[in-house]
Amino acid sequence: MPFETALTQALDLRVPVVAGPLGRGSSAEFLGAMANSGCFGFTAAAHMPEETLRDELAKMSRATNGRFGANLSLTRDRRKWLATALEAGVRVFSVWQGDIEPYVRIIKDAGGLVFWTLGSPDEAARAKGLGVDFIVSQGQEAGGHYVGSAPTMSLLPSIVDAAKGVPVVAAGGIADGRGLVAAMALGACGVWMGTRFVASKESANHRGYKERVVAARATDLVETELFDPVGQECPHRVIRNSTFSKWEEAGRPATGQRPGERDRISSFPNGKPLYRYDAAAAWDAMEGDWEASPLYAGTTIELIREVKPVAEIVREIETTAQAALNKIADLRTVR
Ligand SMILES: Cc1cc2nc3c(=O)[nH]c(=O)nc-3n(C[C@H](O)[C@H](O)[C@H](O)COP(=O)(O)O)c2cc1C
């Protein structure tokens, strides 16, 4: 892979590919597979109960030899989560959805690296002054919650232009090496992928959810704010499921009047109830009605036809990137 970039240098990667946090899917096994493939993954630390966070991070650290990062969704106060992660030795963080400034300061004081997921050139222009190390430009095609003000093709170059030299990683709509080459042509130093890795063998997302990602087409996707946010409204892209369809059939009623609002569809591993409309994505050991939970996925489902091991996905990214580069070189040849 001929790409050596600010991203590969900072994280010591063989391939400029990062897996974004995948809810409960970013398990120790998944992150280990990413690290072993010369890439990097983030865990969704804010999705873990604070009581178990330290043990979970220790497991991830063992599986990756310390080569993973922690994502903090700042929809509420996460300073305790940050302190625990720093104590556990984590030094690479990703933040979004909130006031990042105090978090960046603490992470930088501890000698860490900060990735900031954002969706507009105005935010990108603030990143350098805040001390952010990497911007993650998240296009509107992204699976899960998205903050992008436009799709990647136009958002990414506008963010690169506004970033004042802060390196930019491209997220949203990328699933293979062609997407990687395209993102780099638009000025990115690497890619940050979500939906493709949901449908990986090692991710701890529910098997049925992975199969839906493989089977669905872009026409099965909906953009909605239906699944309850934790503290802040944010649109998300999901595959249409029974919860969405019933709500639609009921005339899209407001929160408080949605059908089955108090249905307990499952329980979290600590025994807490999981209700219909909760934001948690289906995880591997989830019992009950996994299909009723949000099936987060982006437009790359058009490119994902099989659940594959992480190593194979990464190998394919490398070969398809090389093929795309060869094709571009061929275009230059006068015939
Ligand atoms: C199941 C799932 C859960 C996600 N959870 C988070 C999260 O907790 N924090 C976050 O920053 N991004 C989250 N994302 C977004 C990803 O980090 C990433 O920006 C997005 O998936 C990229 O677009 P793509 O799906 O087209 O690859 C999630 C995405 C998916 C598919």
Side-chain angles (χ1 to χ4, degrees):
M1 167 79 54
F3 295 135
E4 194 177 333
T5 71
L7 182 70
T8 60
Q9 284 165 0
L11 298 178
D12 191 21
L13 309 183
R14 196 173 55 77
V15 190
V17 173
V18 167
L22 307 173
R24 307 179 83 84
S26 308
S27 58
E29 186 194 356
F30 172 75
L31 296 169
M34 288 301 295
N36 286 337
S37 299
C39 302
F40 196 88
F42 282 84
T43 189
H47 288 249
M48 292 176 219
E50 206 210 327
E51 318 82 77
T52 55
L53 182 59
R54 188 183 303 267
D55 288 350
E56 293 287 344
L57 293 175
K59 223 188 290 171
M60 290 168 185
S61 192
R62 283 194 297 275
T64 60
N65 214 1
R67 294 163 57 86
F68 76 106
N71 166 260
L72 294 169
S73 296
L74 304 180
T75 48
R76 63 188 178 113
D77 188 349
R78 295 293 180 193
R79 276 171 297 184
K80 279 191 188 156
W81 276 254
L82 174 57
T84 303
L86 285 169
E87 278 164 32
V90 177
R91 286 295 176 272
V92 183
F93 288 89
S94 120
V95 289
W96 76 329
Q97 291 183 311
D99 179 13
I100 69 161
E101 196 167 350
Y103 295 83
V104 176
R105 211 173 313 121
I106 296 168
I107 296 164
K108 295 312 295 176
D109 284 349
L113 276 183
V114 184
F115 289 70
W116 181 19
T117 298
L118 50 79
S120 72
D122 287 352
E123 292 168 296
R126 291 177 48 224
K128 194 179 177 106
L130 290 170
V132 167
D133 298 287
F134 287 88
I135 289 170
V136 180
S137 161
Q138 195 203 34
Q140 271 178 351
E141 308 93 323
H145 293 81
Y146 62 87
V147 291
S149 56
T152 289
M153 189 77 171
S154 42
L155 181 72
L156 174 59
S158 72
I159 284 184
V160 169
D161 287 347
K164 300 178 184 159
V166 176
V168 180
V169 184
I174 299 154
D176 60 23
R178 293 172 295 180
L180 169 63
V181 168
M184 296 191 76
L186 295 172
C189 63
V191 292
W192 173 290
M193 292 163 42
T195 307
R196 172 63 268 191
F197 286 119
V198 169
S200 67
K201 185 173 151 285
E202 295 89 346
S203 92
N205 298 109
H206 194 282
R207 190 164 51 87
Y209 171 23
K210 295 182 190 187
E211 285 165 4
R212 283 291 171 91
V213 168
V214 167
R217 290 289 186 273
T219 46
D220 300 314
L221 294 171
V222 287
E223 292 171 52
T224 183
E225 291 187 4
L226 184 63
F227 293 95
D228 289 336
V230 190
Q232 186 175 308
E233 285 183 10
C234 180
H236 32 277
R237 180 169 285 98
V238 293
I239 300 169
R240 175 186 288 274
N241 68 350
S242 55
T243 299
F244 184 88
S245 294
K246 278 183 200 152
W247 171 74
E248 202 172 43
E249 282 159 24
R252 300 176 167 243
T255 303
Q257 287 144 27
R258 298 171 298 184
E261 214 151 45
R262 295 308 289 169
D263 291 352
R264 180 175 182 152
I265 60 166
S266 184
S267 304
F268 287 106
N270 64 4
K272 283 199 175 153
L274 176 66
Y275 295 108
R276 191 182 293 280
Y277 304 106
D278 273 0
W283 63 94
D284 51 1
M286 177 179 175
E287 290 174 357
D289 192 0
W290 65 268
E291 191 276 343
S293 65
L295 308 174
Y296 299 119
T299 57
T300 60
I301 58 169
E302 285 289 348
L303 299 169
I304 301 168
R305 287 290 152 260
E306 215 184 310
V307 175
K308 291 179 179 178
V310 163
E312 206 174 306
I313 294 172
V314 173
R315 245 192 329 271
E316 277 183 14
I317 292 172
E318 292 182 83
T319 52
T320 50
Q322 191 55 60
L325 289 172
N326 294 346
K327 214 166 181 178
I328 293 167
D330 275 355
L331 291 175
R332 287 207 312 260
T333 310
V334 179
R335 291 176 201 278

